[in-house]
């Protein structure tokens, strides 16, 4: 049996001698800690090899229920979690949920795109949307989720929150700077609680507007603002599951397996790292980066210094400051919130994160950095196509071959990036049937200037009142 003792959470920046601890529900709703830190469990739950062996052969949703229970217990408020988890994955377009394909001897591809928006973000967000709805409905209240997207996260968050009574969601995207498929995945959702807003600016402007809304305490409280971006701990939990699924399928706990993870905000690879700390026998964790290679440079040189963000064929990895790295930094700093807070302050002030020789060596012992530029991405897509007849999207192309079984994560289908795939292979991938008519669906377009007052006015005018009439007999639990 997997232990279900309730875990407590603390902030990576809590500098108090005895850091405050919160339960999973509070951490879910809060997203970011008030001190600017990210939430982590106070201890990592470790499963014995026997416990891991006992998970082999479970259907994906049952495995997810076991893993989520380790972090959240078996209930959300008064409601049992297992049915919510089953529902989260029932709509995925593959019975295995996270299917593995053998590309070459010992080299596997885990296809993480059978979810409703074809993004691996669906694995966590489909669950997180349901957790929000269940908890808030029991509490008789509502949240206003605001977020910025450069493409994929927005549609996955919208799909997870659409038609939910306890949630209004506002997603800002840079006008003219997301692909047509990505824009339409947001603007063709007709649910009344969904608001996709094109901002006359770039992605950084959108992020700054979101930060400014959170920084306005009166606005934040009046609308009960919340976030579902990858700093939310529940998203990490939702991603740990597929590492277990893949490793178990390839022989864990008796055989080790390695993973190659295309990395942007460090959320996905941090979930892999957690799975390893939980006892899953993961040999190597490869951090795939594109030309925005701050993480690969850090592993190679010990210096983490911010550069400018440059556009690439894999836009979801065009990130310099990986927000989830702070969770790993907490570990590097020996679990000292004060040291993390000081390091983050210096990083912000100087552009360089203070990391000692010993901390760098520890990081090197846990992760391998692998940088693939645009030319390498094209080459890798073409070589895989020739060798196995599989089309890879440009994000999945960041990977490496190994002797221990290597699972390369395919986080997006090739059809989301048809131009790059066609240029590399001559094949133009088609969208799956449920999205085939996306390009002819009716869009609702809202454009706002890059102006915080205009955006706040719009959000205020379109968010519903916070109190939700309790629907369940017995009222708010
Ligand atoms: C979000 C995303 C990434 C980056 O994942 P992180 O968890 O931010 O590291 C990589 N590839 C694709 C296709 C994505 O959508």
């Amino acid at each position: 049996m997997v232990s279900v003792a309730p875990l407590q959470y603390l902030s990576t920046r809590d500098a108090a001698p005895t850091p405050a601890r919160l339960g999973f529900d509070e951490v879910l709703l809060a997203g970011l800690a008030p001190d600017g830190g990210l939430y982590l469990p106070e201890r990592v739950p470790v499963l014995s090899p026997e416990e891991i062996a006992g998970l082999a052969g479970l259907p994906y949703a049952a495995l997810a229920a076991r893993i989520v229970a380790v972090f959240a217990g078996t209930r959300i408020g008064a409601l049992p979690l297992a049915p919510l988890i089953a529902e989260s994955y029932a709509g995925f377009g593959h019975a295995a949920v996270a299917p593995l394909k053998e590309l070459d001897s010992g080299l596997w591809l885990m296809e993480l795109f059978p979810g409703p928006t074809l993004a691996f973000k669906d694995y966590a967000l489909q669950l997180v949307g349901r957790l929000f709805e269940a908890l808030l409905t029991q509490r008789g209240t509502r949240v206003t989720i605001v977020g910025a997207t450069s493409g994929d996260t927005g549609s996955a968050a919208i799909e997870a929150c659409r038609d939910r009574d306890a949630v209004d969601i506002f997603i800002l995207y840079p006008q003219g700077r997301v692909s047509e498929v990505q824009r339409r995945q947001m603007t063709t959702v007709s649910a009344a609680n969904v608001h996709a807003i094109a901002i006359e600016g770039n992605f950084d402007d959108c992020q700054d507007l979101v930060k400014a809304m959170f920084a306005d305490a009166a606005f934040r409280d009046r609308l009960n603002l919340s976030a579902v971006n990858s700093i939310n701990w529940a998203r990490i939990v939702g991603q740990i599951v597929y590492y277990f699924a893949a490793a178990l399928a390839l022989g864990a706990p008796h055989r080790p397996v390695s993973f190659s993870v295309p990395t942007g905000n460090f959320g996905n690879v941090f979930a892999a790292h957690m799975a390893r700390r939980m006892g899953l026998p993961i040999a190597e964790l490869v951090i795939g980066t594109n030309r925005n290679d701050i993480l690969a440079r850090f592993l190679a040189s010990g210096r983490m210094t911010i550069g400018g963000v440059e556009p690439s064929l894999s836009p979801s990895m065009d990130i310099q400051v990986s927000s989830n790295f702070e969770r790993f930094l907490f570990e590097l700093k020996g679990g000292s919130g004060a040291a993390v807070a000081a390091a983050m302050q210096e990083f912000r002030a100087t552009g360089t994160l203070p990391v000692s020789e010993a901390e760098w060596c520890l990081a090197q012992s846990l992760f391998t950095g692998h940088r693939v530029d645009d030319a390498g991405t094209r080459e890798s897509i073409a070589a895989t196509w020739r060798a196995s007849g599989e089309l890879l999207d440009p994000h999945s192309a960041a990977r490496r071959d190994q002797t221990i079984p290597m699972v390369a994560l395919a986080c997006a289908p090739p059809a989301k990036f048809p131009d790059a795939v066609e240029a590399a292979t001559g094949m133009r991938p088609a969208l799956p049937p449920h999205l085939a008519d996306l390009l002819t669906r009716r869009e609702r377009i809202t454009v706002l200037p890059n102006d915080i007052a205009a955006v706040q006015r719009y959000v205020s005018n379109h968010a519903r009142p916070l109190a939700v009439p309790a629907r369940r007999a017995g009222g708010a639990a």
Side-chain angles (χ1 to χ4, degrees):
M1 255 300 280
V2 172
S3 139
V4 290
L7 268 182
Q8 299 280 295
Y9 293 83
L10 44 77
S11 161
T12 52
R13 294 190 198 178
D14 194 331
T18 322
R21 283 163 169 77
L22 293 177
F24 180 84
D25 296 359
E26 303 324 309
V27 164
L28 167 76
L29 293 181
L32 196 67
D35 57 21
L38 278 64
Y39 288 115
L40 273 177
E42 60 179 345
R43 63 181 168 83
V44 176
V46 177
L47 310 190
S48 67
E50 293 71 34
E51 285 173 318
I52 293 175
L55 300 171
L58 290 178
Y60 191 90
L63 173 66
R66 300 284 280 272
I67 301 292
V68 172
V70 170
F71 292 98
T74 54
R75 293 178 176 272
I76 185 89
L79 283 181
L81 264 170
L84 282 183
I85 294 170
E87 211 184 89
S88 301
Y89 302 108
F92 279 50
H94 194 295
V97 182
L100 288 174
K101 263 188 189 165
E102 191 163 19
L103 287 184
D104 198 342
S105 171
L107 175 63
W108 300 80
L109 191 69
M110 178 155 58
E111 291 189 339
L112 297 176
F113 46 78
T117 74
L118 314 182
F120 84 91
K121 276 127 185 143
D122 289 330
Y123 287 82
L125 281 166
Q126 282 296 309
L127 176 61
V128 167
R130 284 174 174 83
L131 295 179
F132 263 81
E133 177 82 351
L135 198 53
L136 292 166
T137 304
Q138 292 174 70
R139 294 181 176 194
T141 187
R142 191 172 267 144
V143 292
T144 307
I145 290 175
V146 293
T149 187
S150 56
D152 273 3
T153 306
S155 54
I158 285 173
E159 192 62 34
C161 295
R162 65 186 296 171
D163 298 315
R164 300 208 182 280
D165 196 32
V167 176
D168 286 312
I169 180 165
F170 296 80
I171 296 292
L172 314 187
Y173 66 91
Q175 186 182 26
R177 295 180 201 225
V178 300
S179 77
E180 185 177 10
V181 169
Q182 289 174 325
R183 185 192 71 236
R184 285 179 162 274
Q185 282 189 296
M186 297 188 275
T187 58
T188 60
V189 174
S190 60
N193 71 329
V194 166
H195 309 273
I197 303 168
I199 295 294
E200 293 171 337
N202 59 28
F203 174 59
D204 288 335
D205 296 327
C206 295
Q207 261 191 320
D208 287 345
L209 288 167
V210 169
K211 280 188 200 144
M213 283 189 268
F214 274 98
D216 179 342
F219 182 81
R220 188 182 64 212
D221 294 346
R222 186 158 55 76
L223 290 159
N224 207 6
L225 285 197
S226 189
V228 293
N229 52 10
S230 70
I231 52 101
N232 195 304
W233 173 253
R235 282 193 54 183
I236 304 286
V237 174
Q239 292 178 241
I240 292 172
V241 181
Y242 48 71
Y243 291 102
F244 271 86
L248 286 162
L250 296 177
H254 313 295
R255 283 173 56 199
V257 53
S258 296
F259 289 97
S260 173
V261 187
T263 300
N265 257 326
F266 206 75
N268 204 4
V269 76
F270 187 79
H273 173 64
M274 282 300 297
R276 175 155 69 183
R277 289 192 65 200
M278 290 170 73
L280 202 63
I282 297 178
E284 193 184 8
L285 274 182
V286 180
I287 295 177
T289 75
N290 59 26
R291 62 199 294 183
N292 298 290
D293 60 349
I294 181 168
L295 291 168
R297 278 187 286 121
F298 163 63
L299 289 169
S301 71
R303 278 177 60 82
M304 184 173 285
T305 301
I306 303 178
V309 177
E310 292 184 36
S312 77
L313 288 176
S314 39
S316 299
M317 297 158 70
D318 293 347
I319 288 175
Q320 283 287 334
V321 180
S322 303
S323 46
N324 271 289
F325 190 81
E326 181 165 337
R327 291 196 156 107
F328 179 57
L329 187 65
F330 184 76
E331 226 173 287
L332 287 183
K333 299 288 178 194
S336 162
V340 172
M344 292 308 291
Q345 200 173 2
E346 185 169 336
F347 192 34
R348 183 181 291 242
T350 66
T352 298
L353 187 73
V355 175
S356 72
E357 180 89 14
E359 290 160 359
W360 172 42
C361 289
L362 177 56
Q364 275 188 319
S365 72
L366 295 167
F367 300 102
T368 312
H370 185 53
R371 173 190 197 272
V372 182
D373 60 14
D374 279 359
T377 298
R378 277 192 218 95
E379 249 167 62
S380 168
I381 294 173
T384 304
W385 167 245
R386 283 193 304 269
S388 67
E390 283 296 325
L391 292 177
L392 295 183
D393 94 285
H395 302 77
S396 314
R399 58 169 183 77
R400 232 177 53 163
D401 298 9
Q402 268 296 326
T403 44
I404 292 175
M406 169 66 80
V407 179
L409 272 63
C411 292
K416 256 195 183 167
F417 303 91
D419 296 338
V421 175
E422 188 174 16
T425 64
M427 297 289 292
R428 191 164 182 90
L431 284 169
H434 77 280
L435 287 178
D437 66 340
L438 187 67
L439 297 183
T440 56
R441 283 185 205 161
R442 213 181 120 79
E443 288 191 88
R444 279 191 305 163
I445 305 248
T446 303
V447 182
L448 290 178
N450 176 17
D451 171 44
I452 183 66
V455 173
Q456 284 185 318
R457 198 160 47 239
Y458 186 90
V459 173
S460 290
N461 289 342
H462 291 81
R464 291 169 292 175
L466 293 186
V468 183
R471 281 176 303 177
R472 212 160 271 103

